[in-house]
Amino acid sequence: MAATEETEPARTRLISGPGMLLVWLYGVMVVGAVSRSAVQISTEFDKAPLAYSLSAVAGVVYGFITYSLVRGGETARRAALVCCAAELMGVLTVGTWTLVEPSAFPDTTVWSDYGMGYLFIPVLLPLSAMYWLRKRSGTADSR
């Protein structure tokens, strides 16, 4: 087992400093998005299936990013970076869509109006996370 530890590179730690705040914020967003979508899907899915499904997707994306940040390592960092970029594209797309064609969304999503119902955290969080993850590129703090 010692030989394996010596040959594997140290896992990059992503939850030090501001990374811990990102984990906390993403964790809050996971709880908010998943619980909101679970209640809406189970009680009134026929009212706004697209909006509720998008909120569920947002919760899954937040969960994956949270897991990747906690897991650490270069592969997890890259996966989180890709997910954050996809998250940002989703927020911008859905946010614009809700403003241009509000009738398509009889109820709001986590990403509606660029996350206005969540204090714009959905649009600010991926930008902050992408900055942090790019800054952490190539560092090798061991756990």
Side-chain angles (χ1 to χ4, degrees):
M1 186 162 180
T4 305
E5 290 176 5
E6 292 173 10
T7 59
E8 291 180 6
R11 185 178 289 176
T12 305
R13 189 150 194 227
L14 300 174
I15 58 171
S16 60
M20 185 57 92
L21 178 61
L22 286 174
V23 168
W24 186 85
L25 287 171
Y26 270 113
V28 168
M29 293 304 290
V30 169
V31 171
V34 169
S35 59
R36 174 187 181 155
S37 64
V39 167
Q40 290 172 324
I41 287 171
S42 65
T43 60
E44 52 191 7
F45 185 71
D46 55 333
K47 179 181 171 188
L50 178 61
Y52 303 152
S53 297
L54 286 172
S55 288
V57 167
V60 170
V61 170
Y62 295 145
F64 181 79
I65 294 169
T66 304
Y67 169 77
S68 296
L69 290 171
V70 170
R71 172 131 172 81
E74 186 59 21
T75 302
R77 187 194 67 78
R78 286 188 199 138
L81 192 56
V82 168
C83 258
C84 287
E87 173 195 359
L88 182 60
M89 290 299 295
V91 172
L92 296 176
T93 301
V94 172
T96 302
W97 191 0
T98 57
L99 294 175
V100 172
E101 187 60 43
S103 63
F105 295 89
D107 203 353
T108 59
T109 74
V110 174
W111 294 341
S112 292
D113 303 320
Y114 308 107
M116 186 168 63
Y118 286 80
L119 304 174
F120 297 103
I121 291 171
V123 76
L124 298 173
L125 196 54
L127 291 170
S128 302
M130 287 169 41
Y131 173 77
W132 174 250
L133 290 166
R134 289 184 53 84
K135 184 178 172 185
R136 298 300 296 172
S137 176
T139 62
D141 299 337
S142 59
R143 279 188 165 232

